[in-house]
Amino acid sequence: MKYYDKLVFELSKEGRCGFSLPLNSFPSGAELPAALRRESALELPEVSEPDVVRHYTNLSQMNFGVDTGFYPLGSCTMKYNPKINEEVAALQGFAGLHPLMHAGLTKGALRVYQEMNKALAAITGMYTFTFDPCAGAHGELTGLMIMRQYHMMRGDLGRTKVIVPDSAHGTNPASAAVCGLEVVEVKSLENGRIDVEALKPLLGPDIAGIMMTNPNTLGLFETQIEEIASLVHGCGGLLYYDGANMNPLMGVARPGDMGFDIMHLNLHKTFSTPHGGGGPGSGPVGVAKHLEDCIPDIRVSGFHGNFGVILRAYAYILALGRDHIRKVGQYAVLSANYIKESLKDVYKLPIEGVCKHEFVFDGLVNDGAREGVPGATTLDVAKRLLDYGFHAPTIYFPLLFHQALMIEPTETESKETIDAFIEVMRKIAAEAAVDPEILHGAPHCTPISRPDETAAARNPILKYQDA
Amino acid sequence: MASLPYLPHTDADVRAMLEKAGVKTLEDLYADVPAKFLKKGPYALPPAMSEQEIREWFSSLEAQNARLKVFVGQGAYDHYTPSVIPYLTQRSEFLTAYTPYQCEISQGTLRYIFEYQSMMCALTGMDVSNASMYDGPTAAAEAMKMCVSCTRKKNTVLLSRALLPHVIKVVETYAKFHGVTIGLIDAPEGETSLKALQEALTEDVAGVILPSVNRYGIVEDHTGFADAVHAAKALMVEYCDPSALAVVKTPGEWGADIAVGDGQSLGLPLCYGGPYVGFMAVKKDYMRKMPGRIVGQTTDKEGRRVFVLTLQAREQHIKREKATSNICSNESLMALWVTIYLSLMGPEGLREVNRLSSDGAHYLYCELLKTGKFDEVFPSKPFLKEFVLKPKEFPGLMQKRLEEAGFFAALDTEEGYVTFCVTEKHGKAEIDRLVSVIKEG
C-alpha cells in the first residue's frame, strides 16, 4: 500500500467534464419560480472520467479487504465473499426492478424472498422472517419492536424493561433504548456465562424479554440456555437471539430449538455478502409462530429491505445446500480452537475450555514492562499486526477484560494462512518481551502512521470546505 | 453433489488442527452444547448447487421479472448510472473491506466518506454530514428522534402529509416504540400549508419534517416556515431529493436545522428498493447529537493529512444505551456510489440531469392532458421530474395496457391520482410512445 494524498476536490478545474448525457430533444419546460431556485454555488468537483477512475483506484490501494488478506476479527464474521454473488446481484432483471411494481411484475424477486424465508427458517428453527431491516442493529431494533408489539397486542402494557448481559454487543442496549425499553444488566460469571442466580431476581411482570448472544461475545456457548429460556418464559418474557454469532451454529444447532422467540441474522457476516467498508448489510428478523401476527404493522425501511444483499446471500445458501452447511460451523469452530491452543502460552487466556467460533485473550503473558518503559498493550499488538499484513482483531471488547483481544478466524481461511498468523502473533509477543517500544510505535509499514485522534475530536474538520 | 470451493480444509488439515485443539472429532468441539439442541438429521435445504447451476437458476428467476421502462418515482428514481461507478465500486479493496476502525489500512474508505460528507454538505447547504444511514425513511426517523433529544421536555414531531407515504410509515413506526407523538400537517393545495403548521405548533412540538419536493412532485415554497418553527423552539427538518438540490432551494437556504433524504437518486440502481443510502446533514449546533459514523481530518505522526472515524463518543460501541442511535453498519459502499456519481456529474452535469428530467416531465404532462383522459390536480404548482394527475377512467386498465406495451407508469396513489416520473433516461420518442398507448385505450 502506498500513501496517496489527493481529495477529488483538489483535482477540479473549471470547465472540466466527467459526464455524457443525451441531447435535450424537448421543448423547454417551465422554469422554477425564482423564489424556489437554488441561489448558492454548488461546490462539486469538475473532473474528467480518467481523473475519477485514477483517483478512486488510488484510494482503493490504501485499503485492506478480505480479498487482500486475513481478518482475525472477533464479533464480525469476515469470511470470503464469493464472486458469483456479485454477478447475480448485478443482473438487470433484478437491478432494474422498481420497488413499487406489483406482484405480477416481480415474480422472480418474490420467489427469492420465499426461498430465502424457507432456507433461513430451516437453518435457524424460526417460523418466518421479515427482510426489511438493513443491518444487524436494525434487525435488533425490529426484533425488539416485535417483542413490544406482542406484549401490547395482549394488552400487557407494563413490560418496559429488557435484560441485557454485561458481555453484550453495544448495539443491544442502544437498540433497546431506541425501542423505548429500559435496559437491565445481568452479570456474567467467572466462567463467562450468564449468572442464572443473578438473573432470577430481575424477572417479573415488567420484563419484556432478554437479549442474548449464543455463543456469547466471549465465544462461549451459554450452557444453561434451557433453564434461562424456561425462567424468562415463566415470567412472561420473550427471548431475543443476536445473530451476530450464528456462524458456529451453522448446520449444527438452531436458536429456534433452544427456546428463542425472535432473532436476527447478519447476511453480511454469516451469509458471505461483502461488508462494503461498513455496509450495505441486511438483518432479516425471524420469529416463532406465535409472533407471526406482530410483524405486519412494523415498517422499518422504505421498501423491501436491501434486496441486492438478500440476492447475494441466497446465492451463497444455494452453494452450501444441505450438503455443506455443517462444515461452515464446524470449520469455523475448529480454526478458532486451533489458534487459541497455539497461542495461549504467550497470550493470557482468561477462560479455559473449548470455544466456539471466536475467543478472547486478555493481553500478553509478558508485555515487556520494566522500569521507565510501559508494557505493550492490546492496542500495540493490534497495530503491530498491520505491519505483518494482517487486519487487527477486535480489541477492548467485550468489556469484561481490560486488555481484551478477540479473535475469529472463520471457516474460509486455510491452515497455511492461520499458521502464518500464529507465527506472527508469537513473533509480536517475543518483540514485546524484548522491546515493547517496537510495538508502541507500530504500525511502521502502513501508508500512514498512528493518527492524532484527540485533535480530530477537539477541532473537528468534517468536510473539505472546513480545512 | 456439487463441491464447495470456499473451504480450503483438506482432511489432513482437519486432523492436524483437531489434534492441536485437543479433541478427537469435529463433533467433540460442540461437547458443551446440550445434546438435545444438536440438530439431528439433514437440514431442509436444497442440495448444494454448482456455480453453473446457480447462474442458471438466477437467470431463470430473473426472466420471471417484467422488464419495463420505469416512469414512476415515489422515492425510487430511474436515473442513469455511469459505467464508471459499478466498475470502481466492485474493486475488492472497497467491496470486501470492513468498517474503517483500523484507519492505517482504511484510508481509501475514510477518504471517500470524507468526500461524501463534503458533497452532501455542498448539496444541502448544511455544516456537517454523517457517513450515511440505511435509507431516506430511516434517516427521517432518526431526525425525528434527534428533534426530541435536542429540545427540552418536548415529545411531539409534526410530519407533512405531503411527505412520501413510505417516509411517513417508517417515521410513525419508530415514533410509536420510541414514545413520540406524531402529528400530521395538511397539504390541501398540494403543498404543506403554513397556516396548518402554525396551528399545529403547540408547546410540545420538538420538530417538523417537511418535504422539499413532495409526494406529488411539487417543489414546496417554505417561505416563513423556519421562522414559525424556530419561534416555537422546535427544529425544522427538510426531506429532500438530493439530485433536485442542484436546482431547488436548499435546506440551508430555507433555514432548516436538519436535512435528510435518500441518495438513491444520485445514480443508484432501483434494485427493488435497496440497497439505497440515507443521508443526514445538520447545522453545526447539532453535530454532537447526530447519529451514525462521522469521518474527520487530522494528522499522523509524520504530520501528513489523514482521516479517522471521529466524535465516536456519540456511538453505541462507546455509549451503549446512552448513544444517539443504535446504528452501526450503514451503507458505506452506496455512499461511494454517490461520491463517484457526483464527481463525474459535477455541478453542470447535475443541473443538466434536472433540466432533461424536468423538460421531459413537462412535455409528458402536456401530452397527457391533450389525450383528454386526465384532469389536472394542482394546476400551476411548480414541479420537476414527477407529477400527479386525476385519471378520468379506472387506472387499472390503463396500467395494464402500459405494462403490455413495456411501461411501468401511472401508478395509482392513496388519493386516487396517478403518478408519473421522467428522468434523463427517457427521450421524446419513448414518451410519445407511452402517450400513444394511453391515447389508444
Side-chain angles (χ1 to χ4, degrees):
Chain A
M1 292 188 208
K2 61 175 184 184
Y3 180 71
Y4 164 77
D5 186 42
K6 292 279 191 273
L7 289 168
V8 71
F9 297 94
E10 292 158 356
L11 307 174
S12 180
K13 191 168 183 182
E14 202 179 323
R16 209 164 259 167
C17 158
F19 63 90
S20 141
L21 289 164
L23 278 178
N24 193 333
S25 53
F26 301 106
S28 63
E31 285 290 321
L32 276 180
L36 302 182
R37 263 182 253 157
R38 180 184 179 114
E39 285 161 18
S40 43
L42 182 52
E43 291 169 353
L44 294 175
E46 293 178 74
V47 287
S48 69
E49 184 173 315
D51 291 335
V52 168
V53 172
R54 197 163 286 161
H55 174 67
Y56 290 100
T57 302
N58 278 316
L59 285 194
S60 78
Q61 288 171 349
M62 290 194 288
N63 251 16
F64 185 96
V66 172
D67 287 3
T68 319
F70 177 35
Y71 275 82
L73 186 77
S75 122
C76 279
T77 305
M78 291 293 286
K79 61 174 72 176
Y80 172 69
N81 312 131
K83 304 314 164 199
I84 181 75
N85 301 2
E86 297 304 314
E87 181 184 309
V88 159
L91 291 171
Q92 189 49 33
F94 294 120
L97 279 187
H98 192 281
L100 295 174
M101 284 177 171
H102 62 76
L105 302 174
T106 58
K107 287 181 192 145
L110 295 177
R111 183 79 192 273
V112 170
Y113 282 94
Q114 283 160 12
E115 294 298 326
M116 271 297 273
N117 202 351
K118 275 196 269 179
L120 296 185
I123 291 168
T124 60
M126 291 288 152
Y127 180 71
T128 188
F129 276 79
T130 166
F131 289 86
D132 291 356
C134 299
H138 204 203
E140 290 175 17
L141 174 60
T142 308
L144 290 174
M145 286 174 174
I146 292 168
M147 185 185 282
R148 288 200 70 193
Q149 181 84 349
Y150 169 78
H151 294 307
M152 287 176 187
M153 283 167 76
R154 290 157 45 95
D156 193 354
L157 304 178
R159 297 189 180 269
T160 55
K161 295 179 182 170
V162 65
I163 299 171
V164 178
D166 56 3
S167 63
H169 296 115
T171 48
N172 285 189
S175 298
V178 173
C179 196
L181 287 163
E182 191 186 323
V183 175
V184 183
E185 197 174 88
V186 60
K187 297 274 176 234
S188 301
L189 292 165
E190 291 269 301
N191 72 6
R193 273 80 172 189
I194 288 180
D195 184 344
V196 178
E197 290 311 312
L199 173 66
K200 284 177 184 167
L202 304 177
L203 299 170
D206 56 346
I207 295 298
I210 186 170
M211 298 183 85
M212 284 178 68
T213 310
N214 193 19
N216 62 28
T217 60
L218 296 167
L220 300 170
F221 192 82
E222 293 284 358
T223 44
Q224 286 181 284
I225 179 60
E226 189 174 11
E227 187 182 357
I228 294 171
S230 142
L231 285 168
V232 174
H233 284 149
C235 92
L238 298 176
L239 274 82
Y240 183 86
Y241 180 93
D242 176 340
N245 288 3
M246 181 66 199
N247 209 42
L249 300 191
M250 289 281 278
V252 179
R254 311 190 308 168
D257 298 337
M258 299 172 199
F260 286 98
D261 304 284
I262 311 170
M263 71 176 291
H264 82 268
L265 288 166
N266 295 64
L267 299 187
H268 52 294
K269 295 179 183 177
T270 317
F271 293 88
S272 88
T273 76
H275 224 87
S282 173
V285 170
V287 299
K289 186 155 181 17
H290 58 284
L291 294 166
E292 187 188 12
D293 297 338
C294 304
I295 293 178
D297 284 347
I298 293 172
R299 178 87 180 263
V300 295
S301 66
F303 298 107
H304 318 288
N306 280 344
F307 179 61
V309 180
I310 294 160
L311 275 169
R312 288 171 171 88
Y314 181 38
Y316 175 69
I317 287 173
L318 293 176
L320 292 186
R322 59 177 175 244
D323 310 292
H324 300 300
I325 185 163
R326 191 171 174 79
K327 287 184 203 140
V328 171
Q330 288 181 333
Y331 289 176
V333 173
L334 175 66
S335 296
N337 280 284
Y338 177 68
I339 297 175
K340 170 170 68 67
E341 293 302 314
S342 303
L343 289 173
K344 70 177 186 182
D345 58 326
V346 286
Y347 292 86
K348 288 185 210 158
L349 180 66
I351 300 170
E352 281 282 349
V354 172
C355 66
K356 293 278 106 32
H357 63 303
E358 66 188 7
F359 62 92
V360 180
F361 283 135
D362 188 14
L364 287 152
V365 169
N366 179 1
D367 66 3
R370 65 202 62 162
E371 189 69 38
V373 183
T377 63
T378 278
L379 176 68
D380 297 329
V381 173
K383 294 300 181 193
R384 187 65 175 143
L385 268 171
L386 307 181
D387 278 335
Y388 290 110
F390 293 102
H391 195 275
T394 294
I395 53 174
Y396 302 114
F397 179 82
L399 310 172
L400 305 179
F401 308 113
H402 291 299
Q403 292 293 326
L405 191 147
M406 191 184 207
I407 295 174
E408 174 181 0
T410 86
E411 72 283 5
T412 61
E413 297 298 335
S414 68
K415 183 168 179 292
E416 285 77 4
T417 300
I418 291 172
D419 284 339
F421 170 71
I422 291 168
E423 195 186 318
V424 161
M425 284 291 280
R426 299 190 70 87
K427 197 166 166 187
I428 292 172
E431 285 175 349
V434 175
D435 180 10
E437 290 300 330
I438 300 173
L439 274 66
H440 295 324
H444 306 280
C445 314
T446 49
I448 65 163
S449 55
R450 284 195 206 185
D452 187 343
E453 300 199 32
T454 315
R458 194 169 292 159
N459 173 32
I461 301 172
L462 307 178
K463 60 181 193 291
Y464 177 63
Q465 300 87 331
D466 292 343
Chain B
M1 92 182 129
S3 55
L4 185 68
Y6 314 147
L7 303 178
H9 302 62
T10 65
D11 292 345
D13 292 340
V14 172
R15 277 195 302 276
M17 292 167 84
L18 282 172
E19 195 182 339
K20 184 74 197 177
V23 295
K24 290 206 169 60
T25 67
L26 288 165
E27 284 70 26
D28 291 346
L29 294 166
Y30 293 87
D32 52 343
V33 178
K36 66 187 298 189
F37 297 142
L38 292 171
K39 174 85 166 72
K40 286 152 202 88
Y43 277 63
L45 292 171
M49 283 189 190
S50 66
E51 186 176 302
Q52 188 178 325
E53 288 167 314
I54 293 171
R55 182 182 283 173
E56 283 162 10
W57 172 240
F58 278 96
S59 140
S60 76
L61 288 178
E62 184 199 15
Q64 293 172 39
N65 293 327
R67 296 244 192 156
L68 305 178
K69 304 271 185 194
V70 174
F71 281 83
V72 171
Q74 295 293 291
Y77 301 97
D78 191 23
H79 285 291
Y80 182 74
T81 305
S83 107
V84 164
I85 305 178
Y87 177 83
L88 286 173
T89 54
Q90 276 291 310
R91 284 190 69 89
S92 71
E93 299 91 333
F94 290 131
L95 182 70
T96 72
Y98 180 55
T99 305
Y101 291 126
Q102 297 297 331
C103 64
E104 293 90 345
I105 52 171
S106 311
Q107 284 298 298
T109 301
L110 290 161
R111 264 179 200 253
Y112 80 65
I113 294 174
F114 186 80
E115 293 176 349
Y116 163 85
Q117 290 173 181
S118 307
M119 290 175 182
M120 296 323 290
C121 287
L123 277 174
T124 57
M126 304 305 274
D127 301 322
V128 185
S129 162
N130 70 12
S132 78
M133 323 232 41
Y134 307 132
D135 65 2
T138 60
E142 292 279 3
M144 174 273 296
K145 290 200 297 119
M146 233 180 112
C147 290
V148 173
S149 72
C150 289
T151 51
R152 279 175 198 280
K153 293 179 183 162
K154 291 171 167 236
N155 206 36
T156 298
V157 172
L158 303 176
L159 309 184
S160 165
R161 284 188 196 275
L163 283 163
L164 288 161
H166 68 315
V167 175
I168 295 178
K169 281 182 192 136
V170 172
V171 175
E172 282 179 340
T173 300
Y174 271 67
K176 172 180 165 181
F177 293 99
H178 199 60
V180 175
T181 307
I182 294 293
L184 294 173
I185 317 162
D186 285 334
E189 310 291 329
E191 61 180 318
T192 317
S193 152
L194 178 58
K195 190 162 161 290
L197 169 65
Q198 282 164 332
E199 283 162 12
L201 274 170
T202 56
E203 229 170 51
D204 192 47
V205 173
V208 180
I209 308 183
L210 301 165
S212 157
V213 180
N214 68 27
R215 61 159 72 184
Y216 312 116
I218 292 167
V219 183
E220 295 211 347
D221 185 346
H222 290 162
T223 307
F225 280 59
D227 288 344
V229 173
H230 292 147
K233 295 194 164 48
L235 269 63
M236 175 162 144
V237 182
E238 288 252 336
Y239 190 93
C240 324
D241 170 358
S243 174
L245 288 179
V247 296
V248 306
K249 202 163 248 192
T250 65
E253 289 170 332
W254 286 126
D257 304 289
I258 303 174
V260 292
D262 205 311
Q264 185 276 334
S265 58
L266 301 173
L268 269 57
L270 291 168
C271 201
Y272 202 48
Y276 292 172
V277 53
F279 68 88
M280 177 185 277
V282 303
K283 289 271 174 65
K284 199 155 193 148
D285 294 349
Y286 304 109
M287 174 176 78
R288 285 173 204 274
K289 292 279 188 187
M290 189 157 60
R293 296 180 185 133
I294 301 177
V295 171
Q297 179 182 318
T298 185
T299 50
D300 71 356
K301 286 197 292 187
E302 279 73 43
R304 290 175 294 199
R305 175 173 65 175
V306 302
F307 299 88
V308 293
L309 290 172
T310 193
L311 303 175
Q312 294 188 68
R314 303 163 297 107
E315 291 186 67
Q316 50 76 27
H317 60 286
I318 311 280
K319 277 285 175 64
R320 299 176 78 84
E321 67 267 27
K322 295 192 175 60
T324 54
S325 166
N326 67 328
I327 191 168
C328 183
S329 284
N330 50 35
E331 304 288 310
S332 195
L333 195 75
M334 309 325 285
L336 175 61
W337 275 73
V338 163
T339 308
I340 298 173
Y341 179 82
L342 290 172
S343 298
L344 291 168
M345 303 312 287
E348 189 45 47
L350 204 56
R351 279 192 287 266
E352 186 58 22
V353 163
N354 276 279
R355 209 170 293 132
L356 283 163
S357 305
S358 174
D359 287 352
H362 284 86
Y363 176 71
L364 174 62
Y365 186 91
C366 295
E367 294 300 307
L368 287 174
L369 282 182
K370 283 187 208 160
T371 64
K373 291 177 181 289
F374 302 93
D375 288 323
E376 283 188 279
V377 185
F378 304 114
S380 79
K381 289 285 183 188
F383 65 91
L384 286 170
K385 63 189 168 201
E386 198 170 10
F387 59 85
V388 292
L389 291 170
K390 176 110 183 123
K392 290 181 181 169
E393 62 172 278
F394 173 62
L397 298 170
M398 182 192 302
Q399 287 158 357
K400 191 139 191 1
R401 283 201 310 278
L402 286 165
E403 282 165 20
E404 279 162 8
F407 295 104
F408 178 56
L411 182 71
D412 38 334
T413 71
E414 289 168 12
E415 300 89 344
Y417 312 142
V418 287
T419 174
F420 291 88
C421 181
V422 180
T423 69
E424 73 282 9
K425 281 172 88 167
H426 308 304
K428 185 168 171 296
E430 209 166 88
I431 292 176
D432 288 337
R433 207 158 66 75
L434 185 153
V435 173
S436 72
V437 172
I438 288 178
K439 215 186 291 182
E440 283 156 16

